[in-house]
Amino acid sequence: MAEVLITIGIIGVVAAMTLPTLINNAKNRELQTQLQKTYSELNQMSQLFYNDYGMSVPEYLAGAKTGKVWSDFVNKIFPRYFKLVNKVDRWTGGFVDPDTGSALDTMPYDLYTLGGQKRTSPICDNSGFYSDVIGRYYLFNDAPDTADDNGPIICVDINGEKRPNTYGKDFFLFVFTVDGYVIPMGQEHAHNKVVNGSLANNGVNIGKNFCSKNVSSQNAGSACAYYAIADVSPDGHGTYWKDFLNGK
């Protein structure tokens, strides 16, 4: 009897040690699947747009920081491709409603860096939050300056308000390209506008410094989509979803 109890105790200890890791890995696999689905659907949308309008999204939006072209794309054209996309009526500080020009001042929820620091506003701050029928949230950054620049950047929370609401875990950045596709932030492209760590005017961040747990800036999580889709750790050791996020 004593031996049985000892064995049960050992099994319990092992289970207690391994269960959190198993649960975390399962959650990461779910997020990885959601990310791949989102990436695929954004590319489908971008290519359909190219076929319908005879130009890429960057060409259509070039220079349209505000005004009717920008408003029509965000409020009418994009929702047409992502069926039943709705504007969320809670916003973040600094946003301006494209319809009214009025500033909007609250976030739907808190966002965090990979290091756990809370951010008061998202990187994509030139639109509100838009939701689709499966609960994803979409936000846009500025339109590209010229038709030869990739953009805009689109931020997607792949599971909406559901946690962890963290850059590089369920909040990722993508970029519309002049050749009619969407690439993950962090991927090299001839028409990227690289601005040394600044996302002003849709500058595209490249490199492992922009997918890091050790920097408090939200820019440190801006390029994680590239590594997450490839499932490669930015530090060069193992996979993204299992090794990098679990700190191995």
Side-chain angles (χ1 to χ4, degrees):
M1 184 67 177
E3 292 177 351
V4 172
L5 291 175
I6 292 172
T7 301
I8 292 173
I10 292 172
I11 293 172
V13 171
V14 172
M17 293 173 61
T18 60
L19 190 59
T21 299
L22 293 174
I23 293 173
N24 192 52
N25 286 340
K27 289 180 178 178
N28 285 348
R29 283 194 296 271
E30 180 182 356
L31 291 174
Q32 183 181 14
T33 298
Q34 290 173 311
L35 173 62
Q36 294 287 358
K37 175 180 173 63
T38 299
Y39 179 47
S40 175
E41 292 180 357
L42 283 171
N43 266 290
Q44 292 173 29
M45 173 265 158
S46 186
Q47 291 167 59
L48 286 171
F49 180 93
Y50 194 98
N51 291 334
D52 291 343
Y53 287 83
M55 66 180 74
S56 65
V57 169
E59 290 173 307
Y60 180 86
L61 289 176
K65 302 296 185 182
T66 57
K68 181 173 173 50
V69 171
W70 177 258
S71 179
D72 282 351
F73 178 80
V74 172
N75 292 304
K76 298 176 182 178
I77 296 174
F78 183 79
R80 191 185 307 152
Y81 293 96
F82 279 84
K83 302 298 184 183
L84 301 178
V85 177
N86 299 305
K87 183 184 293 185
V88 177
D89 62 355
R90 293 168 295 171
W91 309 65
T92 186
F95 275 153
V96 174
D97 188 329
D99 295 328
T100 66
S102 300
L104 302 155
D105 59 7
T106 56
M107 275 279 282
Y109 53 87
D110 294 327
L111 284 171
Y112 296 87
T113 68
L114 277 171
Q117 294 85 6
K118 185 167 73 173
R119 310 305 302 175
T120 58
S121 64
I123 288 173
C124 296
D125 62 356
N126 201 34
S127 73
F129 288 71
Y130 290 75
S131 65
D132 66 12
V133 291
I134 65 172
R136 290 176 296 199
Y137 281 4
Y138 306 84
L139 309 81
F140 293 92
N141 206 28
D142 297 343
D145 289 327
T146 74
D148 196 48
D149 293 326
N150 288 336
I153 293 167
I154 181 171
C155 298
V156 186
D157 191 322
I158 59 176
N159 60 356
E161 293 193 35
K162 186 177 179 181
R163 294 180 71 89
N165 298 328
T166 297
Y167 287 90
K169 291 185 177 180
D170 60 346
F171 194 89
F172 295 96
L173 281 67
F174 305 88
V175 186
F176 288 94
T177 68
V178 298
D179 48 356
Y181 293 91
V182 170
I183 59 174
M185 174 71 84
Q187 180 174 319
E188 298 279 1
H189 190 283
H191 293 267
N192 280 346
K193 194 172 190 178
V194 180
V195 191
N196 296 324
S198 170
L199 291 177
N201 300 319
N202 279 287
V204 177
N205 291 334
I206 305 290
K208 65 180 182 180
N209 290 337
F210 298 107
C211 187
S212 170
K213 301 175 185 177
N214 301 321
V215 184
S216 61
S217 166
Q218 60 191 353
N219 278 350
S222 60
C224 286
Y226 171 73
Y227 298 99
I229 288 171
D231 197 19
V232 174
S233 175
D235 61 17
H237 303 293
T239 67
Y240 182 88
W241 290 99
K242 189 172 182 180
D243 298 320
F244 175 68
L245 289 185
N246 290 337
K248 295 181 180 179

